[in-house]
Amino acid sequence: MIMTKRQPVSVGEMITEEYLKPLGITQGQLAKAMGVSRRTVNEVCTGKRTVTVETALMLAKVFDNTPDFWLNLQRRNDIWNVFHIPEKKARIDKARPLIRV
């Protein structure tokens, strides 16, 4: 993964900007289609909750795409966040390989 200075698009931003707004769907309607609470959808959309495999499978079914699409968005953000939070990056920097080739 190429690290950029700009944070990747979040799952919540993707849902809101590319699906809910253009399709005229509310978070409540999405929650009903997914079979989850509106709070769950709201927390995903606002970045307070990450996308799990189960959520990715539901989003893929509702929006007719793949779970990998949603999981890759989440993964890219997770990696970016670790490298842009000094305490977490410092822990990663301390790690050393067990075997040198």
Side-chain angles (χ1 to χ4, degrees):
M1 179 175 155
I2 298 171
M3 196 56 55
T4 62
K5 291 182 182 179
R6 200 178 93 177
Q7 185 169 5
V9 173
S10 69
V11 172
E13 185 179 356
M14 180 64 70
I15 291 170
T16 302
E17 298 300 325
E18 299 296 329
Y19 292 93
L20 299 184
K21 287 181 180 178
L23 298 172
I25 299 170
T26 66
Q27 288 183 4
Q29 290 169 315
L30 175 57
K32 187 173 182 178
M34 291 174 65
V36 299
S37 70
R38 194 188 77 65
R39 180 179 181 176
T40 296
V41 169
N42 179 263
E43 289 176 352
V44 170
C45 287
T46 58
K48 294 177 184 169
R49 180 185 295 243
T50 61
V51 170
T52 63
V53 171
E54 184 179 0
T55 304
L57 288 163
M58 287 185 276
L59 287 168
K61 190 168 186 177
V62 169
F63 292 125
D64 193 29
N65 55 21
T66 67
D68 288 335
F69 173 79
W70 300 105
L71 292 170
N72 284 335
L73 281 174
Q74 185 64 57
R75 180 185 56 84
R76 288 176 55 88
N77 273 277
D78 291 346
I79 292 170
W80 191 92
N81 284 330
V82 166
F83 280 102
H84 288 83
I85 297 173
E87 299 82 22
K88 291 184 178 186
K89 184 167 182 340
R91 288 186 67 204
I92 301 299
D93 289 344
K94 287 181 185 177
R96 298 287 174 246
L98 290 173
I99 301 171
R100 299 201 187 258
V101 180

